[in-house]
Amino acid sequence: MKIGFVSLGCPKNLVDSEVMMGLAEQGGHTLTPNPAEADVLVVNTCAFIDLAKEESVNTILELAEFKRTGKCTRLVVTGCLGERYRDELKAQIPEIDAVLGTGDVPEIVGAIEGHQRRPVIPLTLVGESRITNPASRQLPTYLYDADTPRVFATPRHFAYIKVAEGCDYKCSFCIIPTLRGHYRSRPLDAIVREARALAARGVREIILISQDTTFYGRDAGLGAALPQLLRELNQVEGLDWIRLLYLYPTTITDDILDAMAECEKVCRYIDLPLQHASGDVLRRMKRPGTGRSYEELLANIRARVPGVSLRTTFIVGFPGETDAEFAELVAFVRRVGFDHMGVFTYSHEEGTTAHALPDDVPAAVKTRRRNRLMAEQKKIVGRAQRRRVGATVRVMVDGPSQEHELVWRGRLAGQAPDIDPMVYLTETDPAVLRPGTVLEAQIVGSRGYDLVARPR
């Protein structure tokens, strides 16, 4: 059959979609990007916040239309929304034929075909890592392996590698531990083997992801295993860049920072979601640290990894957030000066401990605070970009832009795909440029958050 996949949400969810597409192909089916041609449609959903849930439901309803107007005979819902609202979805949207949660990835072929069948390949489950809480048996435990088939949805020159799945933190605003299960690391040799296979097929940048990448190995009794992993990945031939996403304040150690500085292929890029800078708000969020301890951490990162780019995210409008606490956050952002920053308005999610608190910050105030914080960030970035003009930088080429045949898109080592600004390359020669090429360019200006550069 022809199968159409839609993947929503974060890169971690995208990897699950790529695995399910690989299993579908291995099961004898073909993939199509056109939903009107699909015999079966699969949507891998997100359920982290209200906007994500709304997008997921709307996508399900849009695809359901193809059961009435197209070839589609089955609609399968997978992922976090399926894990969280399995029974409700089937009851309220009768067009749905099967719902799989985050731990049901191996069952995708049976869901597509309308019956349950055993996985067609050996699957790596949670038995390879140490889970001591008996209640965890009721939570998702699936974890893919280097031998699991995958159909990549990213451009050929970069790919994501999940180093772990799940989360053990108790952040009061977050539902992820319930949706993804306890933290479980993949074996180090399996990750290195996967990286070698990716490099052999032309991938030039690998992006390591998990719910807390700096926690890697600790759950399995390996201590802080990330420095060893980075050093081994640094030896993989064919790779140019190794990037880390989703680090955590209490698990960023000096050993990890020293490995990042030592390994020439590891991007000097720290993605560190801090969520707030007021100690009182952080305590209500059940997050570690204070604004002061975060400033000390960021100063240490900059000292040990010279030239590092810092990315973070914040939540505004958390229950009880006062004007004074928000002012602490604004002052913190001004002092620290992040290279990249995202700001979310608080979403009052059932199933979280914060849901017991009153959602007492009005929506208009949440939006106003988000806009204020992003306005501060725009000033910070503008000043930093003016200082960059004239500098020579290394740029990874992503592909042509939509603006002009001689303008291509690229990224610095301090810019992650899809979430960060980009570099527009002017005066290019399309005959010699290829996605994945790393070249030297001179920064000549900026456009909003993006940079403009000219190849040297």
Side-chain angles (χ1 to χ4, degrees), residues 160-212:
Y160 296 100
I161 294 180
K162 259 194 208 183
V163 300
E165 179 61 277
C167 184
D168 290 342
Y169 295 118
K170 307 296 183 184
C171 303
S172 64
F173 55 83
C174 186
I175 194 71
I176 293 298
T178 301
L179 301 181
R180 291 282 177 177
H182 288 281
Y183 195 97
R184 47 206 189 271
S185 297
R186 293 178 58 201
L188 189 148
D189 62 340
I191 297 171
V192 175
R193 188 155 48 92
E194 183 178 7
R196 290 195 184 110
L198 290 171
R201 67 185 294 273
V203 169
R204 293 295 169 257
E205 176 182 2
I206 58 170
I207 305 168
L208 308 184
I209 56 174
S210 72
Q211 208 59 39
D212 172 9

Side-chain angles (χ1 to χ4, degrees), residues 358-378:
D359 189 12
D360 54 2
V361 180
V365 174
K366 293 177 184 178
T367 300
R368 187 162 62 246
R369 288 176 178 174
R370 179 192 180 280
N371 293 342
R372 169 80 185 283
L373 204 55
M374 289 307 301
E376 292 293 335
Q377 175 66 5
K378 190 172 184 178

Side-chain angles (χ1 to χ4, degrees), residues 87-380:
D87 296 334
E88 293 89 337
L89 283 169
K90 292 197 73 172
Q92 296 181 23
I93 307 178
E95 292 88 351
I96 296 174
D97 296 285
V99 179
L100 302 182
T102 58
D104 300 328
V105 171
E107 299 178 25
I108 185 61
V109 175
I112 286 171
E113 296 176 351
H115 60 84
Q116 297 297 318
R117 74 181 197 180
R118 296 176 63 84
V120 293
I121 58 166
L123 297 170
T124 301
L125 300 179
V126 75
E128 293 193 4
S129 58
R130 193 172 297 169
I131 300 295
T132 57
N133 184 353
S136 69
R137 296 173 185 171
Q138 302 172 3
L139 297 173
T141 59
Y142 174 72
L143 187 62
Y144 85 105
D145 186 72
D147 297 321
T148 307
R150 234 172 119 184
V151 173
F152 292 89
T154 51
R156 290 183 59 85
H157 62 287
F158 71 82
Y160 296 100
I161 294 180
K162 259 194 208 183
V163 300
E165 179 61 277
C167 184
D168 290 342
Y169 295 118
K170 307 296 183 184
C171 303
S172 64
F173 55 83
C174 186
I175 194 71
I176 293 298
T178 301
L179 301 181
R180 291 282 177 177
H182 288 281
Y183 195 97
R184 47 206 189 271
S185 297
R186 293 178 58 201
L188 189 148
D189 62 340
I191 297 171
V192 175
R193 188 155 48 92
E194 183 178 7
R196 290 195 184 110
L198 290 171
R201 67 185 294 273
V203 169
R204 293 295 169 257
E205 176 182 2
I206 58 170
I207 305 168
L208 308 184
I209 56 174
S210 72
Q211 208 59 39
D212 172 9
T213 302
T214 40
F215 193 76
Y216 172 73
R218 293 171 184 260
D219 63 299
L222 303 176
L226 187 60
Q228 180 186 352
L229 176 62
L230 293 179
R231 291 187 172 97
E232 294 201 23
L233 291 174
N234 195 60
Q235 301 303 314
V236 174
E237 293 185 9
L239 293 179
D240 290 312
W241 287 356
I242 301 163
R243 186 182 306 279
L244 285 72
L245 294 184
Y246 314 120
L247 313 184
Y248 198 78
T250 55
T251 51
I252 296 182
T253 64
D254 287 350
D255 287 344
I256 292 172
L257 297 175
D258 291 345
M260 292 183 71
E262 168 192 327
C263 298
E264 70 276 3
K265 294 182 181 179
V266 176
C267 296
R268 298 190 172 196
Y269 176 95
I270 298 283
D271 171 47
L272 179 65
L274 296 177
Q275 311 303 2
H276 215 279
S278 163
D280 289 338
V281 174
L282 288 166
R283 277 191 290 276
R284 295 199 297 276
M285 288 180 167
K286 296 186 179 179
R287 295 279 295 185
T290 63
R292 176 174 294 182
S293 69
Y294 286 172
E295 285 193 57
E296 292 172 354
L297 170 63
L298 295 170
N300 185 49
I301 290 172
R302 283 171 163 156
R304 288 186 173 271
V305 189
V308 67
S309 293
L310 295 174
R311 174 182 175 79
T312 194
T313 55
F314 294 113
I315 297 172
V316 296
F318 189 81
E321 184 190 55
T322 64
D323 288 341
E325 289 167 342
F326 175 69
E328 284 186 64
L329 177 57
V330 174
F332 174 81
V333 168
R334 286 173 178 163
R335 289 194 302 272
V336 171
F338 292 97
D339 298 277
H340 314 295
M341 187 178 82
V343 182
F344 295 91
T345 56
Y346 170 72
S347 180
H348 206 48
E349 294 297 315
E350 68 270 23
T352 65
T353 56
H355 196 259
L357 302 173
D359 189 12
D360 54 2
V361 180
V365 174
K366 293 177 184 178
T367 300
R368 187 162 62 246
R369 288 176 178 174
R370 179 192 180 280
N371 293 342
R372 169 80 185 283
L373 204 55
M374 289 307 301
E376 292 293 335
Q377 175 66 5
K378 190 172 184 178
K379 295 176 187 175
I380 292 167

